[in-house]
Amino acid sequence: MSTSALPPLEPLFKQSAKRTRDIFASCPDDSIKEEEKSARLRLSVKINDEYKSYRELPPALLAQQGPLGPARPNQQRKAITAGPSSDTSMMIATIDNTPKAQPSTFATANKLSDALTLHKTTRTIKPKFHPQWKLMRVISGHLGWVRSAAVEPGNQWFATGAGDRVIKIWDLASGELKLSLTGHISTVRGLAISPRHPYLFSAGEDKMVKCWDLEVNKVIRHYHGHLSGVYSLSLHPTLDVLVTSGRDASARVWDMRTKAQIHVLSGHTGTVADVKCQESDPQVITGSMDSTVRLWDLAAGKTMVTLTHHKKSVRALAIHPTEYSFASGSAGGNNIKKWKCPEGAFVFNFSGHNAIINTLSVNSDGVLFSGGDNGTLTFWDYDSGTAFQHLDDVPQPGSLEAEAGVFCSTFDMTGTRLITGGADKTIKIYAEQSR
């Protein structure tokens, strides 16, 4: 018999499989129940394998979560199983050596609706009402992009630094120019005003970090050590310590008075675009173009935690003035994130500002401001992560449309005025509208 005369194999396989099933599956009702039970067990084992790690939240997140609803305070979440069968639960418990699993939360429609209600009551945080913000004043005077701004602790004046290499001091109430300080030979990228000394600190792309005595308006100290442009600086609130960061992928800690370099905080692999100091640990936080945020042990000069949640370069940080938390901003989706100190626990994303975030600022009323490279401005409720206002930076007459980027921002000491600097070489002051 030739091979061409043989019938195809596939129909034979199907026929054989059908006959086999008819013989072994067409049994009394008990075996059908057994098969059902087997399928349920198989599903239960699969669910157990996939979700056993999530039966209970980690202790840190559990503490953060608080009670799970008015009806069941301080009760841990139930384990996930495939159904209400106690036999199944027992078998799973035997397989993975864990305590007996709880029956499914969603065994009935009522329980499902209860669970959804519980979810809404425990997870939804209602945003606080915040008044709208409005552009009140546009100040011109710089001849280059305005890259840095800082408000004096007495709330009488503020300083700005720009691409024209000049630091300008402005009256906060009237917007009039009070003083221009020259000395940098490249863009001034960072400014900080000491609340405890009559000092202004500045950092620039010329690798220089300067201390200005505001009683004589002259430079009294230089801090030498950075190998490239310095992009940011921050003063420690209680110690006589200055922290700077820049394009040499390092942050440096300086003794304010002796000019000595105390630590080189190394570990980042890209430009350290922003640095912030606070009184309690972590005392130094850095954001870098290598897409990471690092929390530093200031005493040891070493990294405590590296946060790798961002996908793109981190250009901005903002520490909340009263809450023990901070925010970081980068480019791309979900680009603003809130973190809890001291361990750097991720809290949530501020979603909706799809731009390269150049600057973040937060005030004590819980308003977070984010400024984008494309000139978009967003005001957020810091507690819930809800955006309550979107604005566009309007380039001033004589500027290109592309010169709408926002580079720096700071709230004044009352938190009711916001100062921004941008690519159209102007400083804009926004004010909170009366309720």
Side-chain angles (χ1 to χ4, degrees), residues 95-301:
I95 290 165
D96 75 346
N97 296 320
T98 58
K100 181 180 173 184
Q102 300 282 345
S104 169
T105 312
F106 311 133
T108 66
N110 287 340
K111 286 196 174 181
L112 178 58
S113 62
D114 289 348
L116 290 171
T117 309
L118 179 67
H119 176 78
K120 285 175 184 170
T121 55
T122 55
R123 303 295 295 174
T124 308
I125 302 170
K126 287 188 178 177
K128 180 183 164 189
F129 172 77
H130 296 284
Q132 296 286 291
W133 291 71
K134 186 180 177 184
L135 179 62
M136 301 301 290
R137 178 174 283 130
V138 178
I139 301 170
S140 301
H142 278 292
L143 303 176
W145 291 357
V146 183
R147 302 303 301 241
S148 52
V151 177
E152 174 261 330
N155 218 37
Q156 299 297 310
W157 52 269
F158 67 96
T160 55
D164 58 6
R165 310 179 297 252
V166 180
I167 300 164
K168 290 182 182 282
I169 310 288
W170 310 86
D171 185 272
L172 187 58
S174 66
E176 291 178 6
L177 179 65
K178 297 176 77 171
L179 185 67
S180 293
L181 302 172
T182 56
H184 280 280
I185 56 172
S186 192
T187 304
V188 181
R189 292 291 291 260
L191 288 172
I193 301 161
S194 173
R196 295 178 296 121
H197 316 90
Y199 296 155
L200 165 70
F201 294 86
S202 64
E205 290 182 10
D206 50 11
K207 310 181 199 174
M208 293 190 197
V209 180
K210 297 174 183 280
C211 173
W212 303 78
D213 187 331
L214 295 172
E215 290 176 342
V216 292
N217 298 329
K218 287 183 180 175
V219 177
I220 55 168
R221 297 186 193 103
H222 286 93
Y223 302 87
H224 296 288
H226 275 285
L227 307 175
S228 193
V230 188
Y231 279 21
S232 179
L233 62 79
S234 181
L235 291 172
H236 194 283
T238 54
L239 305 174
D240 282 353
V241 159
L242 166 72
V243 185
T244 58
S245 68
R247 209 163 54 207
D248 57 5
S250 72
R252 294 170 192 264
V253 184
W254 310 89
D255 184 310
M256 189 190 290
R257 297 192 176 281
T258 65
K259 302 180 285 184
Q261 188 172 274
I262 302 166
H263 291 303
V264 179
L265 305 180
S266 55
H268 283 294
T269 56
T271 297
V272 184
D274 204 359
V275 61
K276 289 286 185 279
C277 287
Q278 61 179 2
E279 193 172 341
S280 48
D281 286 331
Q283 294 183 63
V284 178
I285 304 168
T286 55
S288 169
M289 299 281 193
D290 64 9
S291 310
T292 65
V293 175
R294 284 179 183 250
L295 315 182
W296 299 88
D297 181 335
L298 182 60

Side-chain angles (χ1 to χ4, degrees), residues 15-43:
Q15 192 178 3
S16 173
K18 187 173 182 297
R19 283 179 180 168
T20 306
R21 193 184 186 290
D22 289 341
I23 292 168
F24 292 103
S26 58
C27 296
D29 292 343
D30 289 343
S31 62
I32 293 171
K33 284 179 185 172
E34 190 62 36
E35 188 190 1
E36 228 174 79
K37 187 176 174 184
S38 171
R40 184 177 282 281
L41 177 62
R42 194 164 55 250
L43 181 60

